[in-house]
Amino acid sequence: MRSAAAFLALLLCLYWTRAQGESGGVTENDITQTDVQSEILGVKATSDQTNITPDIWAELEELRYVVIQHSLELRNSKSKMEKLEQENTAIQARLTASESKNAVLEARMNASENLVKELQRDLEARLNTAENVLEELKRENTVLEARMSSNEFQVEELKRENAERPKVAFSVGLTNAGYVGPFSTAITLQFSKIFTNIGQAYSPTTGVFTAPVRGAYYFRFNGFAAWNSIAIDLYHNGNQVTLSLDRVGNNDYVNVSNGFVLQLEKGDMIYVVLRSGYGVYDDSLDRTTFSGFLLFAM
Ligand SMILES: *[C@@H]1O[C@H](CO)[C@@H](O)[C@H](O)[C@H]1NC(C)=O
Ligand SMILES: *[C@@H]1O[C@H](CO)[C@@H](O)[C@H](O)[C@H]1NC(C)=O
């Protein structure tokens, strides 16, 4: 009876172990193949003494097989689990690495964003400055344009004035025929050789210069004589301005000359008069001349 009870307990124990294995509760320290074998053999030894039937032995063999299978499966799952754990650890490590990489990226992105904002602010400030400068330049430009058109107007006016300003200048010689005079009356010398007569204010037919405008004029004359005394006068509207007289002896030459700035009204007349009793000489060397020009109108 005692061995029968022990066998029953063993069966219960085996059944419990199997249930534990199926629910995943068995660990490394649980039943090994040799443990089970020795226990069964122990039971068999006691059973031999009490004559247990061979049917039960066969069943025990089957149970033993089941237990071995189960333990093998357990081992399998254990190594699978270890593998899974390793994989899990690896994944964790990669995740941690990823996270720290992510943090670095975020920091760089933040820095980039800040930089972009700063650049934007800087750009806006510079743009504002540029706009202000542009406005200022536009204003200056407007002022300059006004001044320029005023200047252009003045230049045009000056050009017109300059174009309208009378141009008066003459230079004439008396004659190529040698002596003129002496005569019994004074005569106006008619300088007939025209070097220049801009404005045609000098008349070679009368010998008179007539002022075309009111203004300041410059006049100059030279008279040459040989073997005869010379006396020529500069006249302004019938009034003597100057007398130029010189006496010469035999085989002598003489030159008289003078120059004046005169203020004339329009129509005033200027001419050179040879006094009665005196002579004046000229030839192709242009020794006796009369010149004048307008300094400026007034
Ligand atoms: C990046 O900026 C965000 C928002 O400003 C902030 O919440 C985060 O902590 C910043 N990250 C780092 C790494 O500085
Ligand atoms: C007068 O001027 C003429 C040139 O016109 C010159 O040949 C002559 O020597 C001058 N005579 C005197 C005395 O200055």
Side-chain angles (χ1 to χ4, degrees), residues 183-206:
F183 302 111
S184 53
T185 55
I187 58 149
T188 297
L189 288 175
Q190 291 170 10
F191 295 82
S192 57
K193 294 184 288 185
I194 310 290
F195 306 124
T196 37
N197 193 12
I198 296 165
Q200 308 297 320
Y202 172 78
S203 165
T205 54
T206 60

Short mmCIF file of all heavy atoms in Angstrom, two decimals, residues 183-206:
data_model
loop_
_atom_site.label_atom_id
_atom_site.label_comp_id
_atom_site.label_asym_id
_atom_site.label_seq_id
_atom_site.Cartn_x
_atom_site.Cartn_y
_atom_site.Cartn_z
N PHE A 183 47.61 169.80 -96.59
CA PHE A 183 46.47 170.49 -97.19
C PHE A 183 46.28 171.83 -96.49
O PHE A 183 46.76 172.01 -95.36
CB PHE A 183 45.20 169.65 -97.09
CG PHE A 183 45.32 168.28 -97.75
CD1 PHE A 183 45.32 167.13 -96.96
CD2 PHE A 183 45.45 168.16 -99.14
CE1 PHE A 183 45.42 165.89 -97.55
CE2 PHE A 183 45.56 166.90 -99.72
CZ PHE A 183 45.54 165.76 -98.92
N SER A 184 45.51 172.69 -97.16
CA SER A 184 45.28 174.03 -96.56
C SER A 184 44.20 173.98 -95.48
O SER A 184 44.07 174.90 -94.66
CB SER A 184 44.86 175.03 -97.64
OG SER A 184 43.76 174.50 -98.34
N THR A 185 43.41 172.88 -95.42
CA THR A 185 42.42 172.71 -94.34
C THR A 185 42.64 171.34 -93.68
O THR A 185 43.25 170.44 -94.28
CB THR A 185 40.97 172.76 -94.86
OG1 THR A 185 40.84 171.78 -95.89
CG2 THR A 185 40.63 174.15 -95.38
N ALA A 186 42.12 171.21 -92.49
CA ALA A 186 42.18 169.91 -91.79
C ALA A 186 41.26 168.92 -92.50
O ALA A 186 40.17 169.29 -92.97
CB ALA A 186 41.76 170.10 -90.35
N ILE A 187 41.71 167.68 -92.57
CA ILE A 187 40.83 166.66 -93.19
C ILE A 187 40.75 165.44 -92.24
O ILE A 187 41.67 165.17 -91.45
CB ILE A 187 41.37 166.20 -94.56
CG1 ILE A 187 42.80 165.61 -94.41
CG2 ILE A 187 41.33 167.31 -95.60
CD1 ILE A 187 43.10 164.53 -95.39
N THR A 188 39.63 164.73 -92.37
CA THR A 188 39.51 163.43 -91.67
C THR A 188 40.25 162.40 -92.50
O THR A 188 39.98 162.28 -93.71
CB THR A 188 38.02 163.04 -91.52
OG1 THR A 188 37.37 164.02 -90.71
CG2 THR A 188 37.89 161.67 -90.90
N LEU A 189 41.18 161.71 -91.86
CA LEU A 189 41.96 160.70 -92.60
C LEU A 189 41.08 159.50 -92.93
O LEU A 189 40.40 158.95 -92.05
CB LEU A 189 43.17 160.27 -91.77
CG LEU A 189 44.30 161.31 -91.64
CD1 LEU A 189 45.39 160.80 -90.70
CD2 LEU A 189 44.90 161.63 -93.02
N GLN A 190 41.09 159.13 -94.20
CA GLN A 190 40.31 157.96 -94.62
C GLN A 190 41.24 156.77 -94.78
O GLN A 190 41.90 156.63 -95.81
CB GLN A 190 39.57 158.27 -95.92
CG GLN A 190 38.46 159.29 -95.71
CD GLN A 190 37.89 159.80 -97.02
OE1 GLN A 190 38.17 159.28 -98.09
NE2 GLN A 190 37.08 160.84 -96.92
N PHE A 191 41.34 156.00 -93.71
CA PHE A 191 42.18 154.78 -93.73
C PHE A 191 41.51 153.78 -94.68
O PHE A 191 40.37 153.37 -94.45
CB PHE A 191 42.32 154.20 -92.32
CG PHE A 191 43.07 155.11 -91.37
CD1 PHE A 191 42.43 156.18 -90.73
CD2 PHE A 191 44.43 154.91 -91.13
CE1 PHE A 191 43.13 157.01 -89.87
CE2 PHE A 191 45.12 155.75 -90.26
CZ PHE A 191 44.49 156.80 -89.63
N SER A 192 42.23 153.44 -95.74
CA SER A 192 41.58 152.64 -96.79
C SER A 192 41.99 151.16 -96.77
O SER A 192 41.36 150.34 -97.42
CB SER A 192 41.90 153.25 -98.15
OG SER A 192 43.32 153.29 -98.31
N LYS A 193 43.07 150.82 -96.01
CA LYS A 193 43.50 149.40 -95.97
C LYS A 193 42.83 148.73 -94.75
O LYS A 193 43.10 149.08 -93.60
CB LYS A 193 45.02 149.31 -95.83
CG LYS A 193 45.77 149.85 -97.05
CD LYS A 193 47.26 149.65 -96.93
CE LYS A 193 47.86 150.58 -95.90
NZ LYS A 193 49.35 150.48 -95.86
N ILE A 194 41.94 147.82 -95.05
CA ILE A 194 41.18 147.17 -93.96
C ILE A 194 41.88 145.87 -93.56
O ILE A 194 41.96 144.94 -94.35
CB ILE A 194 39.73 146.84 -94.41
CG1 ILE A 194 39.05 148.07 -95.04
CG2 ILE A 194 38.92 146.26 -93.27
CD1 ILE A 194 38.72 149.17 -94.07
N PHE A 195 42.38 145.81 -92.34
CA PHE A 195 42.92 144.53 -91.81
C PHE A 195 41.80 143.72 -91.16
O PHE A 195 41.67 142.53 -91.39
CB PHE A 195 44.04 144.82 -90.80
CG PHE A 195 45.12 145.70 -91.37
CD1 PHE A 195 45.50 146.90 -90.76
CD2 PHE A 195 45.76 145.35 -92.57
CE1 PHE A 195 46.48 147.69 -91.28
CE2 PHE A 195 46.75 146.16 -93.10
CZ PHE A 195 47.12 147.34 -92.47
N THR A 196 41.05 144.38 -90.29
CA THR A 196 39.86 143.75 -89.71
C THR A 196 38.80 144.83 -89.56
O THR A 196 39.14 146.00 -89.28
CB THR A 196 40.13 143.16 -88.30
OG1 THR A 196 41.02 144.01 -87.61
CG2 THR A 196 40.69 141.77 -88.36
N ASN A 197 37.54 144.42 -89.73
CA ASN A 197 36.44 145.36 -89.49
C ASN A 197 35.20 144.58 -89.07
O ASN A 197 34.16 144.61 -89.72
CB ASN A 197 36.17 146.19 -90.75
CG ASN A 197 35.26 147.38 -90.46
OD1 ASN A 197 35.03 147.71 -89.29
ND2 ASN A 197 34.74 148.03 -91.50
N ILE A 198 35.35 143.89 -87.89
CA ILE A 198 34.24 143.06 -87.38
C ILE A 198 33.14 143.99 -86.88
O ILE A 198 33.38 144.88 -86.06
CB ILE A 198 34.75 142.14 -86.25
CG1 ILE A 198 35.80 141.17 -86.83
CG2 ILE A 198 33.60 141.38 -85.62
CD1 ILE A 198 36.63 140.47 -85.78
N GLY A 199 31.93 143.76 -87.36
CA GLY A 199 30.80 144.60 -86.98
C GLY A 199 30.60 145.78 -87.93
O GLY A 199 29.59 146.47 -87.84
N GLN A 200 31.57 146.02 -88.84
CA GLN A 200 31.46 147.09 -89.84
C GLN A 200 31.13 148.45 -89.21
O GLN A 200 30.43 149.27 -89.80
CB GLN A 200 30.36 146.75 -90.89
CG GLN A 200 30.49 145.37 -91.52
CD GLN A 200 31.77 145.21 -92.33
OE1 GLN A 200 32.20 146.14 -93.03
NE2 GLN A 200 32.40 144.06 -92.20
N ALA A 201 31.68 148.69 -88.02
CA ALA A 201 31.41 149.99 -87.37
C ALA A 201 32.31 151.08 -87.94
O ALA A 201 32.01 152.27 -87.83
CB ALA A 201 31.58 149.87 -85.86
N TYR A 202 33.43 150.71 -88.53
CA TYR A 202 34.32 151.69 -89.19
C TYR A 202 33.94 151.79 -90.65
O TYR A 202 33.77 150.77 -91.34
CB TYR A 202 35.78 151.27 -89.04
CG TYR A 202 36.69 152.14 -89.87
CD1 TYR A 202 37.04 153.43 -89.45
CD2 TYR A 202 37.15 151.72 -91.12
CE1 TYR A 202 37.82 154.25 -90.22
CE2 TYR A 202 37.95 152.53 -91.90
CZ TYR A 202 38.27 153.81 -91.45
OH TYR A 202 39.04 154.63 -92.22
N SER A 203 33.84 153.02 -91.15
CA SER A 203 33.51 153.23 -92.57
C SER A 203 34.75 153.71 -93.33
O SER A 203 35.25 154.81 -93.05
CB SER A 203 32.40 154.28 -92.71
OG SER A 203 32.34 154.71 -94.07
N PRO A 204 35.30 152.91 -94.27
CA PRO A 204 36.48 153.35 -95.03
C PRO A 204 36.18 154.52 -95.97
O PRO A 204 37.10 155.25 -96.35
CB PRO A 204 36.87 152.10 -95.83
CG PRO A 204 35.70 151.21 -95.80
CD PRO A 204 34.86 151.57 -94.63
N THR A 205 34.91 154.76 -96.29
CA THR A 205 34.60 155.87 -97.20
C THR A 205 34.57 157.21 -96.47
O THR A 205 34.88 158.24 -97.06
CB THR A 205 33.23 155.65 -97.90
OG1 THR A 205 32.24 155.43 -96.90
CG2 THR A 205 33.27 154.46 -98.85
N THR A 206 34.25 157.19 -95.16
CA THR A 206 34.26 158.44 -94.40
C THR A 206 35.44 158.51 -93.45
O THR A 206 35.81 159.60 -92.98
CB THR A 206 32.96 158.60 -93.58
OG1 THR A 206 32.87 157.50 -92.68
CG2 THR A 206 31.73 158.61 -94.48
#
